[in-house]
């Protein structure tokens, strides 16, 4: 669906751009023709004012160059124009429109020309005498050249905005600059210097309707710049054509009048076009002010709209609508409309046209800055969405982690329960059975050897059986050795429940391990005094039993690894208790290993870490190969004990009693 919308917009954007550029080229061609006509009259004589011929053949006063004194006839409204009905003694009629041209061509500098003017009533006439002047480059620039520059600026900036548009709203922004560009560029067709140039199709069908078109596009812009519209991506709809319906009616009237009567009445045409242009501009101004008020720009108390409308929308409406209101509406209401209705404007024409030329450049700058802000807001929204997704993922991970911790806790409890159950049921039975099997195998092996020595004939047949019995006996010896190691783990819970943690570890270090590995050269030194902080009452609780099982399992596995794999000659097990933290350290001088490269099937260290984390402790492993200066392995287990004050007091009393005997109480076993 999104791909379809993008393709539709791409086609519309292409057609709009082509249409805009086509109209721009056509208007530039027409405007260039008009200005060439005016430039040809530079250094020619004229009456010191600009004039035009309306569709009724009457001479209309348009303006006076600022370098020359104003025309002495009073300024009249649009519907009550000042008409020049005679020059010197020659009457100006529709059949004699070139009377002014002949008078100017035959006059020289210093001559005066007499004009007969009327304000619409032929009985109300006035005689005005003005000297002849010369049309100069400066006059052309201040009256027509500056408007050409302003029109070019509006036309080029509009093309830039339209070509760079990424949505329909931005395209309307570019199209809005086209009608003012038409007014400025075609202004050269609204005035004569010396040569008579009657109203033509450009004036009737393009320049005058451009006033209505200017109002329509601004009304269109104000409609699409409402907050509720900008909240969603805009595309072309039927309602976008509503502001242009009166314009279509006006153009239809002009075409039908031109086809039927051969001309378009200037008064009706200008009145209708400027009337709708003014109405549309005022309507657009009201809608724009309403939008500014609703986003809280005019009324800061409108906090509700500030909360409902995103900041990027408020920024866009606040900046761009304000610029359009100041630049387009005020210029039309304060400059163009008064000049056409009363003949007087608040600012001089050069000042107005230069300001008009600068305005689209300022608009482009504001639009680019707003586009950067839009990208910034979009990036912030995307970051916010990603942040929310990350928070959701983090929440999911936390939930999964809690479930994993619960599952781990259940597995560890099940493991401890299973080991306790096995230790109670198996105890010494597997070892006794393995010893009995080994004795029976040895008895029958010896008996077969004796019988084979007595009977030479059966010796050959009995020899393979004797070898098989020897291999089976060796396997049973290995099985018995493995069972002794397994017994150490299985009897962990059984011995701890009967002896207590400290006595159980002392028995493990002093008796069980030396009996399990009688051939080992390892010297093992133990200092377990701090385990007195682990009182019997604490060990009877569920939490204490879990802590005791963790300590016993970690120490047992570490010592088994030292005997089986480290190749060490000396190892220590030391304990300390400080500020409620019980610390157990197992170290050796063996070959060491890389803790990060332990095979996954070796689960003893992983299982020990799970048990330690379950009770809130830490397990640190430091190991260095023998080739280094500090070789061997050190495992440090730190566990916080509950009931710190009670246990700490007991530990301190025990420490004081032991210090009275000796400073340290080491136990060394071989």
């Amino acid at each position: 669906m999104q791909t379809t919308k993008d393709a539709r917009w791409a086609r519309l954007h292409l057609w709009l751009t082509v249409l805009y550029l086509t109209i721009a080229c056509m208007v530039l061609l027409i405007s260039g023709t008009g200005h060439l006509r005016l430039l040809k009259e530079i250094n020619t004589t004229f009456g010191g004012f600009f004039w035009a011929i309306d569709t009724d053949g009457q001479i209309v006063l348009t303006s006076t160059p600022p370098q020359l004194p104003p025309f002495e006839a009073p300024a009249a409204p649009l519907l009550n124009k000042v008409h020049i009905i005679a020059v010197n003694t020659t009457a100006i009629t529709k059949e004699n429109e070139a009377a002014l041209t002949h008078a100017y061509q035959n006059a020289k500098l210093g001559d005066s020309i007499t004009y007969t003017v009327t304000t619409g009533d032929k009985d109300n006439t006035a005689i005005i005498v003005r000297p002849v002047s010369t049309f100069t480059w400066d006059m052309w620039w201040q009256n027509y050249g500056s408007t050409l520059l302003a029109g070019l600026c509006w036309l080029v900036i509009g093309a830039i905005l339209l070509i760079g548009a990424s949505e329909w709203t931005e395209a309307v922004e570019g199209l809005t600059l086209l009608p003012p560009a038409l007014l400025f560029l075609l202004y050269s067709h609204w005035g004569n210097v010396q040569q008579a140039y009657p109203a033509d199709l450009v004036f009737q069908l393009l320049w005058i309707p451009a006033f209505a078109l200017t109002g329509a596009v601004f009304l269109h812009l104000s409609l699409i710049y409402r907050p509720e519209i900008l909240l969603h991506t805009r595309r072309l709809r039927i309602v976008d054509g509503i502001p242009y319906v009166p314009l279509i009616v006006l153009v239809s009237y002009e075409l039908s009048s031109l086809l039927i009567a051969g001309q378009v009445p200037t008064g009706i045409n200008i009145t209708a076009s400027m009337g709708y242009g003014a109405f549309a501009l005022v309507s657009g101004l009201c809608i724009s002010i309403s939008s500014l008020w609703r986003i809280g720009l005019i009324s800061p108390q409108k906090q509700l709209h500030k909360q409902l409308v995103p900041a990027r929308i408020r920024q866009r409406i606040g900046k761009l609508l304000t610029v359009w209101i100041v630049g387009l509406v005020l210029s039309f209401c304060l400059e163009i409309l008064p000049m056409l209705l009363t003949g007087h404007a608040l600012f001089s024409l050069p000042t107005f046209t230069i300001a008009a030329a600068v305005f689209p450049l300022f608009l482009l700058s504001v639009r680019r800055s707003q586009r950067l802000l839009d990208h910034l807001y979009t990036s912030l929204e995307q970051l916010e969405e990603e942040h929310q997704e990350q928070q959701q993922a983090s929440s999911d991970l936390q939930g999964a982690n809690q479930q994993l911790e619960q599952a781990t806790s259940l597995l560890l409890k099940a493991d401890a329960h299973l080991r306790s159950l096995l230790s109670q049921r198996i105890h010494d039975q597997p070892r006794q059975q393995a010893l009995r099997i080994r004795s029976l195998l040895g008895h029958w092996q010896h008996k077969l050897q004796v019988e084979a020595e007595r009977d030479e004939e059966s010796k050959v047949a009995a020899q393979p059986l004797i070898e098989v019995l020897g291999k089976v006996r060796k396997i049973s010896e290995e099985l018995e050795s493995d069972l002794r190691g397994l017994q150490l783990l299985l009897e962990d819970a059984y011995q701890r429940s009967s002896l207590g943690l400290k006595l159980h570890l002392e028995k493990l270090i002093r008796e069980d391990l030396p009996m399990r590995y009688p051939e080992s050269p390892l010297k093992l030194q133990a200092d377990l005094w701090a385990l007195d902080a682990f009182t019997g009452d604490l060990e009877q609780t569920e939490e204490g039993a879990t802590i005791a099982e963790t300590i016993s399992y970690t120490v047992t596995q570490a010592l088994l690894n030292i005997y089986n794999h480290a190749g060490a000659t000396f190892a220590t097990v030391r304990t300390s208790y400080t500020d409620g933290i019980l610390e157990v350290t197992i170290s050796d001088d063996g070959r060491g290993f890389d803790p990060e490269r332990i095979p996954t099937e070796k689960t003893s260290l992983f299982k020990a870490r799970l048990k330690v984390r379950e009770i809130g402790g830490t397990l640190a492993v430091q190991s260095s190969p023998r080739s280094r200066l500090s070789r061997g392995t050190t495992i440090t287990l730190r566990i916080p004990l509950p009931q710190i004050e009670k246990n700490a007091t007991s530990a301190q009393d025990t420490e004081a009693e032991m210090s009275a005997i000796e400073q340290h109480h080491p136990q060394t076993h071989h």
Side-chain angles (χ1 to χ4, degrees):
M1 187 67 179
Q2 184 65 33
T3 304
T4 303
K5 291 182 179 180
D6 292 341
R8 186 182 306 167
W9 161 246
R11 291 193 299 270
L12 177 62
H13 188 204
L14 177 61
W15 281 109
L16 288 176
T17 304
V18 172
L19 179 63
Y20 186 97
L21 295 178
T22 302
I23 296 175
C25 293
M26 180 184 67
V27 172
L28 288 175
L29 180 61
I30 296 174
S31 177
T33 303
H35 281 276
L36 287 176
R37 176 177 59 84
L38 293 174
L39 290 174
K40 289 180 180 179
E41 299 191 47
I42 291 178
N43 296 325
T44 61
T45 55
F46 77 119
F49 60 90
F50 302 114
W51 50 282
I53 304 174
D54 62 13
T55 54
D56 298 328
Q58 295 179 326
I59 303 299
V60 182
L61 177 67
T62 59
S63 62
T64 304
Q67 299 92 334
L68 301 177
F71 200 77
E72 296 178 4
L78 179 66
L79 300 180
N80 191 22
K81 302 181 185 68
V82 175
H83 296 157
I84 302 175
I85 60 176
V87 55
N88 291 331
T89 58
T90 304
I92 302 176
T93 62
K94 191 172 183 179
E95 293 77 16
N96 189 23
E97 294 177 346
L100 275 180
T101 301
H102 293 304
Y104 293 153
Q105 289 177 345
N106 296 324
K108 299 179 181 180
L109 288 178
D111 295 344
S112 296
I113 297 180
T114 303
Y115 303 94
T116 302
V117 300
T118 179
T119 58
D121 185 2
K122 292 185 178 180
D123 296 333
N124 186 13
T125 61
I127 304 298
I128 299 175
V129 180
R130 285 181 64 89
V132 175
S133 301
T134 302
F135 184 56
T136 62
W137 282 95
D138 184 57
M139 294 179 185
W140 171 83
W141 168 253
Q142 293 191 9
N143 289 272
Y144 296 102
S146 57
T147 60
L148 175 64
L149 176 62
L152 289 174
C153 290
W154 283 75
L155 195 66
V156 172
I157 299 304
I160 294 175
L161 292 177
L162 179 60
I163 294 174
S166 59
E167 59 176 347
W168 171 241
T169 302
E170 296 180 1
V172 174
E173 293 174 2
L175 295 174
T176 306
L177 275 72
L178 181 60
L182 294 177
L183 290 175
F184 285 119
L185 291 173
L186 299 179
Y187 176 71
S188 58
H189 289 264
W190 175 251
N192 300 331
V193 179
Q194 184 188 88
Q195 301 295 323
Y197 183 72
D200 58 354
L201 296 180
V202 173
F203 175 78
Q204 294 176 351
L205 302 181
L206 289 180
W207 193 72
I208 292 180
F211 287 98
L213 183 60
T214 301
V217 294
F218 179 75
L219 177 59
H220 186 192
L221 185 70
S222 63
L223 288 174
I224 67 174
Y225 259 88
R226 290 176 295 164
E228 61 272 18
I229 299 299
L230 290 180
L231 287 174
H232 308 284
T233 302
R234 283 277 294 155
R235 59 185 180 88
L236 180 61
R237 297 181 179 179
I238 298 178
V239 294
D240 290 312
I242 294 178
Y244 304 97
V245 173
L247 179 64
I248 296 174
V249 175
L250 176 63
V251 174
S252 300
Y253 160 74
E254 292 176 342
L255 292 175
S256 60
S257 178
L258 187 65
L259 293 174
I260 296 173
Q263 65 178 12
V264 181
T266 305
I268 298 177
N269 196 11
I270 293 180
T271 302
S273 180
M274 295 192 63
Y276 177 68
F279 169 78
L281 284 172
V282 173
S283 300
L285 177 62
C286 295
I287 296 175
S288 300
I289 293 176
S290 173
S291 298
L292 295 176
W293 180 78
R294 292 169 64 191
I295 64 173
L297 185 63
I298 296 178
S299 177
Q301 288 77 22
K302 298 295 288 184
Q303 297 295 330
L304 177 62
H305 294 291
K306 287 186 177 181
Q307 296 174 359
L308 297 178
V309 181
R312 62 182 181 88
I313 302 298
R314 296 200 303 268
Q315 287 278 346
R316 189 172 183 180
I317 295 176
K319 286 186 177 181
L320 293 177
L321 271 187
T322 302
V323 172
W324 275 109
I325 290 173
V326 173
L328 188 60
V329 177
L330 296 185
S331 64
F332 184 86
C333 296
L334 301 180
E335 185 73 17
I336 299 176
L337 192 61
M339 182 176 63
L340 294 174
L341 292 177
T342 66
H344 299 286
L346 299 180
F347 305 98
S348 64
L349 184 61
T351 302
F352 170 71
T353 53
I354 294 301
V358 174
F359 173 77
L361 300 176
F362 176 70
L363 178 63
L364 178 63
S365 175
V366 173
R367 188 65 191 89
R368 286 188 173 181
S369 64
Q370 184 59 43
R371 184 168 295 177
L372 292 176
L373 286 176
D374 289 343
H375 289 320
L376 177 60
Y377 281 119
T378 302
S379 300
L380 291 177
E381 290 176 357
Q382 293 176 350
L383 290 175
E384 181 65 22
E385 292 178 358
E386 293 177 358
H387 179 64
Q388 292 178 356
E389 292 177 356
Q390 291 177 355
Q391 286 184 333
Q392 182 63 35
S394 177
S395 177
D396 295 341
L397 287 175
Q398 289 179 355
N401 186 45
Q402 291 178 356
Q403 295 178 359
L404 179 60
E405 289 179 352
Q406 293 175 359
T408 302
S409 178
L410 292 175
L411 287 174
L412 293 177
K413 290 179 180 178
D415 175 74
H417 177 71
L418 179 61
R419 290 172 56 203
S420 176
L421 184 63
L422 289 175
S423 66
Q424 294 176 12
R425 293 189 177 183
I426 298 177
H427 201 205
D428 284 338
Q429 292 181 8
R431 288 184 58 192
Q432 296 296 332
Q433 294 293 340
L435 180 61
R436 186 178 297 111
I437 292 172
R438 182 163 60 88
S439 300
L440 288 174
L441 290 173
H443 168 73
W444 285 106
Q445 183 183 20
H446 176 71
K447 189 173 182 180
L448 285 174
Q449 288 178 348
V450 172
E451 292 296 332
E453 290 177 355
R454 292 178 181 176
D455 186 0
E456 293 294 336
E457 296 180 357
S458 61
K459 184 175 182 180
V460 177
Q463 189 62 34
L465 183 59
I466 295 172
E467 294 178 357
V468 170
L469 289 175
K471 293 180 180 180
V472 174
R473 183 182 180 187
K474 184 177 182 181
I475 293 175
S476 68
E477 291 177 354
E478 295 177 354
L479 176 61
E480 182 185 2
S481 176
D482 292 337
L483 288 174
R484 287 199 302 268
L486 179 62
Q487 183 184 4
L488 293 177
L489 296 177
L490 293 178
E491 289 185 343
D492 178 77
Y494 181 80
Q495 289 189 5
R496 280 191 298 102
S497 61
S498 59
L499 300 177
L501 176 62
K502 182 178 179 181
L503 293 178
H504 164 62
L505 292 180
E506 287 179 345
K507 181 177 180 297
L508 173 72
I509 295 171
R510 184 177 62 251
E511 299 177 6
D512 296 339
L513 288 175
M515 290 177 61
R516 169 72 176 83
Y517 302 98
E519 72 284 355
S520 175
L522 178 66
K523 295 181 179 180
L524 183 59
Q525 185 182 68
D527 185 2
L528 305 179
W529 67 270
L531 293 181
D532 291 333
F534 201 87
T535 62
D537 294 336
L538 176 60
E539 193 169 354
Q540 296 302 317
T541 64
E542 181 179 357
E543 184 179 7
T546 303
I547 295 175
E549 199 273 337
T550 300
I551 296 173
S552 178
Y553 178 84
T554 304
V555 173
T556 302
Q557 286 289 358
L559 294 178
L560 285 175
N561 288 333
I562 292 174
Y563 272 103
N564 291 326
H565 308 294
T569 59
F570 182 76
T572 60
V573 179
R574 298 188 181 277
T575 60
S576 64
Y577 183 77
T578 306
D579 297 331
I581 302 297
L582 177 63
E583 183 172 296
V584 180
T585 303
I586 307 104
S587 60
D588 65 78
D589 62 349
R591 62 175 59 93
F593 64 97
D594 185 357
E596 302 297 331
R597 301 182 63 179
I598 298 178
T600 55
E601 62 270 11
K602 303 297 183 180
T603 59
S604 59
L605 180 59
F606 174 73
K607 187 175 177 182
R609 282 175 171 164
L610 287 180
K611 290 178 176 291
V612 172
R613 188 178 67 177
E614 177 72 14
I615 61 177
T618 60
L619 181 65
V621 179
Q622 295 181 347
S623 184
S624 301
R626 230 179 218 172
S627 58
R628 298 183 182 178
L629 182 61
S630 56
R631 62 188 183 183
T633 301
T634 300
I635 299 176
T636 304
L637 174 63
R638 303 182 80 250
I639 299 175
L641 295 184
Q643 301 178 359
I644 294 176
E645 294 182 359
K646 179 179 178 180
N647 293 331
T649 303
S650 177
Q652 291 173 358
D653 294 340
T654 303
E655 182 180 1
E657 294 175 0
M658 296 177 67
S659 298
I661 301 173
E662 58 180 357
Q663 186 176 0
H664 297 289
H665 184 61
Q667 295 179 354
T668 304
H669 305 276
H670 301 282

